[in-house]
Amino acid sequence: MIVFKSVVGKLWLTILLLVSFILFILTVMLLQFFENYHISETEKGLFNTATRIASILEEHNEEELSLGLEVSWKLVDEVTKVLIVEGENELYYSPNTEESQRLLFSDIENDPLLSKVLAGGEIKKKVSSLPLSDSNQDKNLNHVIIGVPFKQSNSDYGAVFIYQSLEVIEQTSNSTTKFILLVAGVAIILTTIFAFFLSTRITAPLRKMREAAFEVARGKFDTKVPILTNDEIGELATAFNQMGRQLKFNMHALNQEKEQLSSILSSMADGVITFNRDGTILITNPPAERFLQNWYFEQGNTHGKTEAIPSKVDELFQMAVSTEQEQVGEVSIQGRYWVVIMTPLYNNKFIRGAVAVIRDMTEERQMDKLRKDFIANVSHELRTPIAMLQGYSEAIIDDIAQTNEEKKEMARVIYDESLRMGRLVNELLDLARMEAGHLLLSIDRVEIPVYIQRIIRKFQGLAKEREIELSVLMTESDHSFLLDPDRIEQVLTNLIDNAIRHTPNGGSVVVTETTDEKGMSFEVKDSGSGIPEEDLPFIFERFYKADKARTRGRSGTGLGLAIAKNIVDAHKGHISVQSKLGQGTTFSFFIPRRNE
């Protein structure tokens, strides 16, 4: 039943059973006590009455026997019967003794216990049934029989036998039993009410604690239990409230730590993947997600199942778990290089998984390659003019040139190569200063149409020589802009020169300028050979040349675009390139407006 499953029911039933058991034992003991008490009092009363009658009969001789009997009968009540025996034929019954209730002399004489009263003058007591001649409702009822001897004048013993039915005692015991049972019943009822009230009062705070516990389990850590008493239940309520406050503090700290860890993982440049003991992915951050997505794309899986990982990563995980040591490996995906550092995670003394730190080393590899290429390119760019300087100078010294014209020609070559070497060194120095942040801009207001036409005129001769149509498009015929004219001219000169050099005869180069409220944009578009798609991300690197087979006549130093990008960046702008093989190339850069 639901009642007995609750604390109230169990406590109420326990108290009720305990009190009922105690009342049952007490009732049985009281009934036994009162029954023995009534019997004892009855026997005592009968013994006293019999003794007094015996004393009266001893005081009155045979002449006064009638007077002694009369006095004796006055001592007997209605329920007590008396038999006075002075001889076998001298039997005197009390007046209230009916014929059917008489104690026969033959019964006394034949009884081994009662016969001793007449024979030896002993006082005897016996509880027995009276044998009656006819059958009625009092048949076989137990009687208490007490025999008291007295001396007669002839020195023989007479006896007073007084007896009483136990029915009277039983009636008295029954009345007492009913009263005791009534009291016990009232006590049980009162105990039931008290036990239920006590159980309810004790368990009411417990029910509130249970409700509060459910609220705390649902995340409401501000829930408090009212403290109504100063006993153990009150102390429990105080402890519960302290536990709620501590849980709230701990959960707040855990949430802060979780958010902090999440922010750290999200802001990390390196990818982080946490694995379970069986290799299941638990946590990833955005760089790790991109790493996995690139691998899924390479495998042809566009859905991106998070259960799968690259075989090299899985191999590092298995090695880290088995050897309990950090493992390092490298993975190449979609042309990018990734270094994977796999470290085991411990739960006390046992490995519970591993964490992988994935670092994109593509830029480092590219920078290392660019460093090596830079040294090789500088060596290459310097080796040719140095060799020519050395060769022509030796020719002049050895008088190989016979005429003044030949000597002048050799001297001109030496001069051109020295200019080329100077230009290379100057460009390297400029690029170094720009990348170090030492580039100082000389901002001035420039009339854009005049400024662009002046730059275009410098290339009209070269364009005409190569039969290339060089044109310019501008949004407005008369407007000005704040910029560094020398540096922007250097950018446009480099872009237009590259466009003309890489455009075949009969092609076209278009310079477009547009100005709006945000700033000014330039676009240099040619119809040349184009740039391969794989070279586009590195086109603005130092000494990077998309056309590896270009001749010296078409090739510059490889620093022009790197310098152009730094100049545009110094103006807070940006530069970009779009190109397809066989369809030409378009360089675009944007300069934002400056506050007046």
Side-chain angles (χ1 to χ4, degrees), residues 162-190:
I162 186 169
Y163 56 97
Q164 183 177 323
S165 175
L166 291 179
E167 181 183 4
V168 178
I169 301 175
E170 290 178 359
Q171 290 177 355
T172 305
S173 298
N174 290 337
S175 300
T176 305
T177 301
K178 291 179 181 179
F179 179 75
I180 292 175
L181 292 177
L182 177 62
V183 173
V186 173
I188 290 176
I189 293 174
L190 293 177

Side-chain angles (χ1 to χ4, degrees), residues 38-54:
H38 289 148
I39 293 175
S40 175
E41 288 296 317
T42 300
E43 292 177 351
K44 185 177 180 182
L46 292 175
F47 178 76
N48 291 334
T49 302
T51 302
R52 291 176 64 185
I53 292 175

